[in-house]
Amino acid sequence: MSGGLVRSVFQPIVDLDSGRVVAYEALARGPRGSELERPDHLFAAARAQGLLAELDAACREAAFRGALEQQLLAPLTLFVNVEPEVLDSAPLDDLLAIAAGAPGDLRVVVEITERALAHRPAEL
């Protein structure tokens, strides 16, 4: 879907006691310099076009690709977001398979984003 236009930036997660970076959260960004570079605009456009599941998958792909390129490997952990609205097309077993099948020494935690959680809280 993205043709490489979706990319990830990585926010460090720091151990407060030691100050060491222990993980990174992959944050999606659209094409540089466009309105869609902002994730709120990117996800709103995907929702409006019925392409949220495809965007969500492209974001995971970009996160894995970027983490490998930047050598964010074990013992570091990579947090990858999943939109709650795509859980119908990406059930829990599929999400666990994504984390288990991450390339190389990439340790992955799949995180359900806070957007739209109130619409389907029982599924968590």
Side-chain angles (χ1 to χ4, degrees):
M1 176 215 168
S2 72
L5 297 176
V6 175
R7 61 191 167 83
S8 287
V9 295
F10 297 95
Q11 176 175 296
I13 298 172
V14 177
D15 178 293
L16 294 178
D17 290 331
S18 68
R20 286 183 314 114
V21 173
V22 294
Y24 286 89
E25 181 177 13
L27 304 173
R29 298 293 182 265
R32 293 181 198 274
S34 78
E35 184 73 15
L36 296 178
E37 185 171 16
R38 288 184 41 182
D40 56 335
H41 292 175
L42 180 65
F43 282 88
R47 274 186 191 88
Q49 296 297 314
L51 296 171
L52 187 59
E54 291 85 348
L55 175 61
D56 200 64
C59 290
R60 286 191 301 272
E61 217 175 278
F64 291 163
R65 186 176 56 250
L68 290 172
E69 288 170 1
Q70 295 188 34
Q71 296 292 302
L72 306 181
L73 305 174
L76 296 171
T77 300
L78 178 67
F79 285 78
V80 177
N81 296 314
V82 174
E83 288 293 317
E85 295 165 78
V86 305
L87 291 177
D88 287 338
S89 62
L92 183 58
D93 288 343
D94 292 350
L95 298 178
L96 294 174
I98 290 165
D105 288 331
L106 197 56
R107 291 183 359 182
V108 176
V109 172
V110 176
E111 179 180 5
I112 309 298
T113 64
E114 66 279 358
R115 285 185 288 270
L117 281 183
H119 298 290
R120 300 165 71 172
E123 291 181 44
L124 289 177

